[in-house]
Amino acid sequence: MSTNLKLFFQLIVLLFLFKQNVSEFEFTNIKCICLDEQFSSIEYCLLKSVNRSYKYISLKVNLFKAPVTKVKVNMVLHKRFNGYRPFLYNFTVDACRFLKNPAANPIANYFYGFLTVHTNVNHTCPFNTPIIFDKLSSNFVDHRITHVLPFPEGDYLLETNVYVNEVNRVVLKVYGSLS
Ligand SMILES: *[C@@H]1O[C@H](CO)[C@@H](O)[C@H](O)[C@H]1NC(C)=O
Ligand SMILES: *[C@@H]1O[C@H](CO)[C@@H](O)[C@H](O)[C@H]1NC(C)=O
Ligand SMILES: *[C@@H]1O[C@H](CO)[C@@H](O)[C@H](O)[C@H]1NC(C)=O
């Protein structure tokens, strides 16, 4: 192979690596909305920037009507074009059935995979204790969306509606950007 050709291929490889490195996910906002104060309360719901490379979200939802045994979760991914529009994913799962056998629902399992190491929602129903998502970091999400199942760059919103006994009780909106 000629030297020029070698250099050319090295350049392509470098560009490819560079592209991989600059692709970066960051949380930009989080909103937690309690629709029924008799049922639950949001103790905290926050986005924290420790420094430029360490940002995380945490939230805690207290349950007043435990045990909770009938939960449906609807997740809709939105991407910003002119305003946020539904993008690729809109699915609803019976959370209690899902938690018994996560592998049976690959899409829900992909999203659940963002949370497993950072939550106490790692057991089957019922739920008796506050629901906690602890320090889910941008870097962890970044790794999953750039390596496990790639997404195009842009601004995203993951909206989650939680229904308990068929009533929408809590709405979670997590915003992030992939650049
Ligand atoms: C950011 O904060 C984390 C946690 O305190 C620390 O481990 C990391 O070294 C910090 N990074 C920079 C660039 O300061
Ligand atoms: C998600 O899908 C359901 C069922 O098809 C539909 O009723 C709902 O409007 C969709 N949500 C959004 C935000 O598009
Ligand atoms: C669930 O998470 C809690 C808190 O992080 C942990 O103590 C517990 O061992 C986990 N249980 C399972 C089954 O992974």
Side-chain angles (χ1 to χ4, degrees), residues 23-172:
S23 173
E24 195 177 333
F25 175 83
E26 279 202 7
F27 288 120
T28 51
N29 201 1
I30 180 169
K31 292 180 191 165
C32 305
I33 303 148
C34 174
L35 299 174
D36 180 354
E37 275 153 24
Q38 309 285 306
F39 180 81
S40 61
S41 70
I42 313 288
E43 189 165 322
Y44 53 81
C45 168
L46 55 90
L47 165 63
K48 190 162 162 67
S49 276
V50 177
N51 54 38
R52 259 190 71 213
S53 56
Y54 185 41
K55 279 190 180 183
Y56 65 76
I57 56 174
S58 286
L59 72 101
K60 181 173 177 183
V61 180
N62 293 309
L63 302 174
F64 302 137
K65 300 272 168 73
V68 170
T69 57
K70 229 183 139 199
V71 189
K72 266 192 196 152
V73 177
N74 170 249
M75 285 189 159
V76 182
L77 185 67
H78 296 75
K79 189 172 190 295
R80 198 166 76 177
F81 297 98
N82 274 321
Y84 286 95
R85 308 260 179 82
F87 181 71
L88 295 178
Y89 297 102
N90 172 357
F91 62 89
T92 302
V93 285
D94 177 324
C96 292
R97 191 183 303 164
F98 170 74
L99 288 166
K100 275 188 205 156
N101 185 10
N105 186 334
I107 301 279
N109 203 20
Y110 175 74
F111 285 92
Y112 181 62
F114 285 104
L115 309 171
T116 36
V117 293
H118 306 269
T119 182
N120 62 350
V121 184
N122 58 359
H123 58 80
T124 52
C125 293
F127 293 103
N128 296 304
T129 58
I131 303 293
I132 298 170
F133 294 103
D134 192 34
K135 296 186 181 153
L136 172 62
S137 74
S138 291
N139 288 344
F140 181 73
V141 173
D142 191 35
H143 178 79
R144 284 187 65 84
I145 61 181
T146 52
H147 294 87
V148 182
L149 197 167
F151 279 88
E153 292 181 353
D155 293 324
Y156 289 92
L157 155 63
L158 180 64
E159 180 173 342
T160 305
N161 282 271
V162 182
Y163 296 78
V164 178
N165 299 330
E166 304 293 335
V167 180
N168 194 357
R169 314 283 180 158
V170 175
V171 185
L172 307 174

